[in-house]
Amino acid sequence: MSRGTIVVAGASAAGISAAETLRRKGYDGRLVVIGDETHPPYERPPLSKQLLTGEWDEQRTAMRDPAALDQYALDLRLGVRARGLDLGSRRVVLDDGEHIGFDGLIIATGVRARTLAGAEALSGVHTLRTLDDLAALRASLWAGGTVAVIGSGPLGMEVASSLAARNAHEVTVITDESVPMERVFGPGIGEMLGRIHRSRGVKLHTGQTVTGLAGTRGKVSGVRLADGTTVQADTVVLAIGSTPNTEWLAGSGLTVDRGVRCDAYSAAAPFVYAAGDVAHWHHRVHGAPVRTEHRINATEQGAVAAHNLLSELGAAPEPRAAYTPVPYFWSDQYALKLQAYGLLHGADRVEVPYADLDDPDRPRLAAFYARQGLVRGVLGTGISPRVLRELRGLVTLPKPWEDIRGRAAELLATLGRPRRPAVARDADRGKTR
């Protein structure tokens, strides 16, 4: 296809993957990539890890070097954002007033960090989603003092572990969960993570609802809790989730429901696709809509969306392909690399067939997550890559635990006999065994 224009809204991992795929598959028309940040495309996962600890400098986060981007002949618009979409005339409206017509559109505008009411009026309160957020947080940390992290999901616990590793701050995590990452991993593994964080000096205020922030002369001084207490803090990091960037689509005719609703091909409308954190697409294997905010998904879905758009435009000989990944994410906390495949959230049963807890700082375990009788996900830490890949294969399709128990036992037996067995726990979300 040597004519026309394709617009990629979002210079994100999904957007850059889509743009590269378009070029590799032969599209040589105009390719406009819109990014709301002034920074060239960069990787976000290191923000809460290697960049926050000081192990890396910002240059190492570049998604591509300039020469690699240049070869794709992108019309790269940085520091500008899409503020409107007219499907009838196929135009994207930018916040600088420009209207860009398109033959095809890929929406990869991602998400933004949630905040608390009143946070913008106090210095020392931060989110961590962008390089600019990181720079502002670092400036606060240079002043020293205590740090409160609100939220115990992956981001909150990674921030806590990175700050604790610096040994320069007293760190407190405040969460409404009973243990860290309970919604993601369940109570048993969350309890294990809590022990590890406490052993590193992190204070945990669990089961607490935040009612507001305290401040003195425009500077944050603490976090107010529903029980009437205030946790003192000189710096506060908000890790309370994210909101898909879909406001610019209001009135466009696209369905927005916790993201851009798409079919199994990631299509939101004729010649319009969505990919990455903002996409809420129908997963044929699970028979339900899925939205996942993970780095690998962004790359994979960006590539599939690009292929399917070209196919619909008649510029690719292959037919469109349904997007049915086994979702993957990881979280680095101290010496732990927690790796998960499939869908863990919402599990009502967690099976832990292997747990070696002899080294409290480096536990080795495998856990399977089931919902309504079907195993949909697996978590591993301290497990060899080969075995973890094999375990992934067991959750490619949802199956009863009894159907995979034997094969899981065979694979885990190659790791050696666990020196300390897993402990059974009853929990609100079901049993952890």
Side-chain angles (χ1 to χ4, degrees), residues 238-270:
L238 304 177
I240 54 177
S242 59
T243 302
N245 290 318
T246 56
E247 289 76 10
W248 67 286
L249 299 172
S252 67
L254 296 184
T255 300
V256 174
D257 170 25
R258 292 175 293 162
V260 179
R261 283 300 300 268
C262 302
D263 65 13
Y265 301 95
S266 296

Side-chain angles (χ1 to χ4, degrees), residues 394-407:
L394 300 181
V395 300
T396 301
L397 298 174
K399 298 175 183 176
W401 168 241
E402 290 70 21
D403 288 1
I404 66 173
R405 183 203 304 266
R407 180 55 179 157

Side-chain angles (χ1 to χ4, degrees), residues 84-288:
L85 171 62
D86 186 336
L87 280 181
S89 63
R90 291 195 190 178
R91 291 183 180 276
V92 172
V93 182
L94 305 186
D95 60 3
D96 62 5
E98 183 179 1
H99 291 226
I100 302 178
F102 64 82
D103 297 279
L105 170 66
I106 295 177
I107 299 170
T109 45
V111 298
R112 63 184 181 278
R114 290 178 182 161
T115 187
L116 290 177
E120 68 283 350
L122 295 172
S123 63
V125 182
H126 303 274
T127 56
L128 187 55
R129 177 69 189 172
T130 69
L131 282 173
D132 291 340
D133 291 342
L134 177 69
L137 175 58
R138 279 175 167 171
S140 283
L141 295 174
W142 273 112
T146 58
V147 180
V149 179
I150 303 177
S152 63
L155 176 62
M157 301 318 296
E158 287 176 359
V159 168
S161 65
S162 294
L163 294 179
R166 291 161 53 108
N167 293 316
H169 305 277
E170 180 182 295
V171 181
T172 298
V173 173
I174 303 167
T175 176
D176 61 353
E177 298 184 288
S178 62
V179 291
M181 299 188 72
E182 181 178 18
R183 293 186 186 93
V184 181
F185 292 145
I189 291 168
E191 183 178 309
M192 177 195 75
L193 291 175
R195 288 196 301 269
I196 292 172
H197 280 273
R198 287 191 179 97
S199 73
R200 299 302 184 98
V202 175
K203 297 179 180 179
L204 299 177
H205 286 264
T206 59
Q208 298 283 355
T209 300
V210 173
T211 59
L213 301 172
T216 303
R217 293 188 292 276
K219 173 75 170 63
V220 72
S221 60
V223 180
R224 295 192 181 98
L225 305 181
D227 64 5
T229 62
T230 297
V231 177
Q232 301 301 310
D234 301 293
T235 298
V236 173
V237 181
L238 304 177
I240 54 177
S242 59
T243 302
N245 290 318
T246 56
E247 289 76 10
W248 67 286
L249 299 172
S252 67
L254 296 184
T255 300
V256 174
D257 170 25
R258 292 175 293 162
V260 179
R261 283 300 300 268
C262 302
D263 65 13
Y265 301 95
S266 296
F271 308 106
V272 177
Y273 291 76
D277 297 357
V278 76
H280 193 193
W281 86 100
H282 180 77
H283 196 301
R284 282 186 174 175
V285 171
H286 294 284

